[in-house]
Structures are given as structure tokens and as C-alpha cells.
Amino acid sequence: MRGQSSILRFCYNTITMKITEDIKYVGVNDHDIDLFEGQYVVPLGMAYNSYLVRDEKTLVFDTVDARFGEAWLANIRSEIGDAPVDYLVVQHMEPDHSANIAAFANAYPSATIVASVQAFKMMKNFFGDDYASRRLVVKEGDTLSTGKHEFVFVAAPMVHWPEVIVTYDKASKTLFSADGFGKFGANDVEDPEGWDCEARRYYIGIVGKYGPQTQALLKKAAGLDIARICPLHGPVLDTPESIGHAVKQYDTWSSYSVESPGICVCYTSVYGHTKAAALKLKEMLLARGCPKVAVSDLARDDQPEAVEDAFRYGTLVLATTTYNMDIFPWMRHFIDHLVERNYQKRRVAFIENGSWAPNAAKVMKGMFEKSKEIEFVEPVVTITSALNADSEAKLAALADALVG
Ligand code: FEO
């Protein structure tokens, strides 16, 4: 999907970027992070975006991760010198954006902090200060004028925390979208896979549980004339094509709709026999005309990537071993990730292996007990140690059922 978004490139940390005459990028790129949010590998790094609006009053959208406070404040100073900032808008209190609120408040003692009432409660918890003497509490529909620019605040609860607001600037038709429309990857590294792949892994992993709330935000955004989207991670989307595409993808992801034709096969394997069955099934599916079979080894491949694939395709095949009369730990971990993100509207099939008492299919099926609109595809394929003629025939029957 390369080229669908305008990937703005920024130099490392201290170079700002013009978005419009009045709006400047003052965020930072992180190439040192090991795990984003403590669990996501980000081979292309991470961007913590922040935006400065120069008007009769000067306004900044959001701070950055704790490790980049000095670089971020230097970015602001490089734009406005020693002039004051009048407002800091805090759209989201997760520390990748909020960690430098106290540093900002010290650097700009006359600035007003603008946020939702829930955000100020969180500030008290994080920093011991809710800025009672210098704050502006905003809610859905409230506006703030800085001169030429008039900002409208829009509540976006659970996209991705409860206190989140997004902000629409009527003058520039810019939507400052907080975590929405963000992606993994620093902005000074071109993503060879374009916007979709790491935006999808980001959305499904981080916001995936909150589909209805994301749908509600999309409905509000549909009423706005949007010329650009400025998220808190990833590139600014500033063409009709990139905005239209991102909104379409968010609609698909947040409604739990199937995005692409194909089948996702996820397995764990202790000595290779279950893996052999998963790969044999892939071969059979492709031979029957399935356009794409995405296979993941849940012990060795990136699990958030496997979760992303499970949501991307309409059919999921799970293959694992019976283990302590339960299932192999990585498979349990994986299904937990699906279920807690409200996995639904999918077909699911099972391959189980067990040398003396195969039980894995029953356990896996039970884990989807509360999931909505899951169709279990028969037959369940049972392997008692290694594939044989009987289990291969069952695999073929499953391939027929999945592709037919
Ligand atoms: Fe980018 Fe929910 O923080």
C-alpha cells in the first residue's frame, strides 16, 4: 500500500517540520525503544508526535515520551524562540504523550493546560498536580479560539483511554486525532510496507477491543471536512486518498469486518509434527485456490502480527498440542489476545495433536465460548503424534470445507 499516505520525513529529534503556514511538527523519533507499551516490538522505531500552532495565541498539542523532554522543548524553542506558549492541549494521558506535562508546565509557567476532566484526574495521579490554577477543562463540543484558528474538542472515550479527546481546527480543517490513525514506526524511516501493515498491527493490538467506540468516533469525524489528520504516532495524512483510505481501513477494523480474502493458520509445535500438519494444510488450501494463507509459529513469530492476521482474514485455523491436559502455553496466550480484543464474525477450525489423550481442540473451542458470531468449521483434525493416512485425509476434508 506504499504511496497511499504522504509519509513525511523528519530528521532525528531536533528538526521541526512545516505542516501548514501555522502548524509545525515538533515531535520526536525514538530509535532506542525495545518494546512499545512494554510488549510491541517496533523494528522501525516509534514517533511521538507533537504539533505547535502559531497564531495570536500559541498552542501545543501533546507532549512526548519521558526520554525526549529536552529534545521536544528544544523543538518548540527552535520555532518560537523565547516567546511564551499559551496553551498545551493534552488529548491523551498515556505516558508516551503525557510524560512531559510537568516539564512543560515548568518551562512555560503562564501556559494554560487544556484537557478533559478525566485527564486532569489522571494528571493528579501521575504528577501529584491537576493544575487547578491554570487549567481549562473541555468536553464534547467546547471550542477554543487562538485568533485565526478555532478548535473544537470531540470526546473519543476508549480510543484508546477514557479521557481521550480529539480536536478539529476549523481554520485549517485539521483533525488532531490522538492515538487514532497512528502507526508503529519512526517518521524518519520510510516503512517499506507503506501505512497499512504497521497501522493495522497498531490498531488491532492497542485499540482493537474498542471497536464500537472507534465506530462512534468515525461517525463524528464523518461530519467534518478534513484536509489532514495529525495523529500522535506516524505520518500526517494529508491527501484525500490517504485520508479516505485510512478512514475506510478504520471502519473495517473497528467493525470487525473481514479485510482480505485468505486464511490465517497459527500453530505451536514441540517437535515439528504439528508444524508439519499446519504446513500440509497450507499446501492443500493453496492447491484448492485459496488466494492467501498466512502462517505463524506462535512461539517464534511476532504474536501481535499473528493477532493482526487473525483479524485481517475471515478464517482462522489453530493447531496445537495437548499439554498438561490443556494446550501449549503460546496458543493459550494467543487465543487470550484474540478474545480480549472481541474477536468475532470469523470461521475457526482446529487441528489438535496428542500422543495419548488429545484434548486441545476441546480446550481451544471452550476459550471462544463468549465470542460473538464464531462459526466452528468441521472436521476437527486429530493427530496422535504424527500425520498418517487417516489424519491427512481429515486434513484434506478440512481443506475442502474451508475453501469449498
Ligand atoms: Fe500513544 Fe494510548 O498512547
Side-chain angles (χ1 to χ4, degrees):
M1 297 294 176
R2 187 196 297 255
Q4 285 181 327
S5 63
S6 152
I7 296 182
L8 300 178
R9 294 174 63 80
F10 309 101
C11 294
Y12 189 69
N13 287 340
T14 52
I15 303 295
T16 62
M17 172 96 190
K18 176 179 163 184
I19 307 292
T20 70
E21 274 310 311
D22 299 338
I23 302 172
K24 313 292 178 192
Y25 181 92
V26 291
V28 297
N29 292 306
D30 183 354
H31 295 284
D32 300 323
I33 188 168
D34 60 345
L35 293 172
F36 179 68
E37 286 194 358
Q39 63 171 318
Y40 297 99
V41 296
V42 281
L44 300 178
M46 201 65 204
Y48 313 112
N49 297 344
S50 171
Y51 304 94
L52 173 81
V53 183
R54 298 195 71 172
D55 200 356
E56 289 168 31
K57 302 279 187 185
T58 301
L59 179 150
V60 170
F61 279 103
D62 295 287
T63 85
V64 297
D65 185 83
R67 291 166 294 128
F68 298 93
E70 279 307 314
W72 171 66
L73 290 171
N75 283 352
I76 294 172
R77 280 194 298 272
S78 78
E79 285 293 329
I80 60 171
D82 293 329
V85 176
D86 297 288
Y87 297 105
L88 171 68
V89 179
V90 177
Q91 299 186 111
H92 182 18
M93 276 301 295
E94 195 165 9
D96 51 331
H97 312 294
S98 71
N100 280 291
I101 290 174
F104 175 91
N106 287 335
Y108 294 99
S110 63
T112 298
I113 315 292
V114 182
S116 66
V117 68
Q118 296 97 327
F120 282 111
K121 283 184 190 155
M122 292 180 181
M123 279 178 224
K124 182 84 174 170
N125 294 337
F126 274 114
F127 309 117
D129 193 345
D130 58 6
Y131 302 99
S133 64
R134 50 186 295 198
R135 74 182 182 191
L136 176 63
V137 180
V138 294
K139 61 181 185 317
E140 172 86 15
D142 285 354
T143 60
L144 173 66
S145 174
T146 53
K148 197 166 73 179
H149 294 264
E150 185 179 10
F151 298 96
V152 183
F153 300 104
V154 177
M158 302 320 298
V159 190
H160 129 247
W161 278 15
E163 84 297 354
V164 170
I165 53 172
V166 301
T167 309
Y168 179 68
D169 173 24
K170 287 183 178 177
S172 64
K173 299 180 180 174
T174 300
L175 178 67
F176 296 91
S177 61
D179 272 344
F181 304 105
K183 76 183 278 292
F184 295 127
N187 286 326
D188 57 354
V189 177
E190 183 154 356
D191 188 332
E193 296 181 295
W195 185 83
D196 285 50
C197 193
E198 287 294 67
R200 186 191 301 105
R201 190 168 69 100
Y202 174 89
Y203 173 83
I204 300 293
I206 290 174
V207 193
K209 179 179 174 63
Y210 303 109
Q213 292 87 345
T214 306
Q215 283 279 306
L217 178 59
L218 289 176
K219 282 192 176 65
K220 292 179 187 179
L224 302 172
D225 179 10
I226 298 173
R228 73 188 56 74
I229 296 176
C230 291
L232 290 181
H233 303 289
V236 171
L237 305 171
D238 61 356
T239 64
E241 293 74 25
S242 64
I243 293 168
H245 179 73
V247 168
K248 178 173 149 294
Q249 293 298 73
Y250 259 59
D251 185 40
T252 298
W253 300 336
S254 59
S255 60
Y256 304 96
S257 301
V258 174
E259 180 184 346
S260 305
I263 294 177
C264 175
V265 177
C266 295
Y267 71 87
T268 65
S269 192
V270 184
Y271 293 106
H273 296 99
T274 313
K275 175 180 180 178
L279 296 181
K280 186 72 186 173
L281 180 67
K282 175 181 180 178
E283 188 186 306
M284 291 172 168
L285 292 169
L286 292 173
R288 284 162 175 75
C290 183
K292 169 80 181 177
V293 181
V295 178
S296 290
D297 175 344
L298 297 176
R300 294 173 179 82
D301 297 332
D302 179 45
Q303 279 234 2
E305 188 92 33
V307 170
E308 173 195 344
D309 280 341
F311 280 84
R312 179 173 184 174
Y313 301 105
T315 300
L316 172 65
V317 180
L318 298 172
T320 196
T321 42
T322 304
Y323 190 79
N324 292 332
M325 283 313 284
D326 200 90
I327 54 176
F328 206 63
W330 292 115
M331 179 59 79
R332 175 164 282 284
H333 184 67
F334 178 66
I335 298 174
D336 280 342
H337 274 298
L338 297 183
V339 170
E340 74 188 32
R341 285 164 179 75
N342 288 324
Y343 191 71
Q344 58 186 271
K345 301 182 185 171
R346 297 293 188 276
R347 299 192 305 168
V348 180
F350 302 110
I351 300 169
E352 63 178 357
N353 199 347
S355 290
W356 61 94
N359 191 47
K362 184 178 161 202
V363 174
M364 289 190 282
K365 193 172 181 181
M367 291 181 73
F368 291 99
E369 207 169 34
K370 293 183 181 159
S371 301
K372 291 188 287 187
E373 296 184 56
I374 298 290
E375 177 196 341
F376 297 112
V377 182
E378 299 286 342
V380 168
V381 178
T382 297
I383 303 160
T384 48
S385 299
L387 278 175
N388 59 23
D390 285 348
S391 50
E392 282 211 28
K394 275 279 181 60
L395 265 187
L398 177 59
D400 287 339
L402 292 173
V403 175

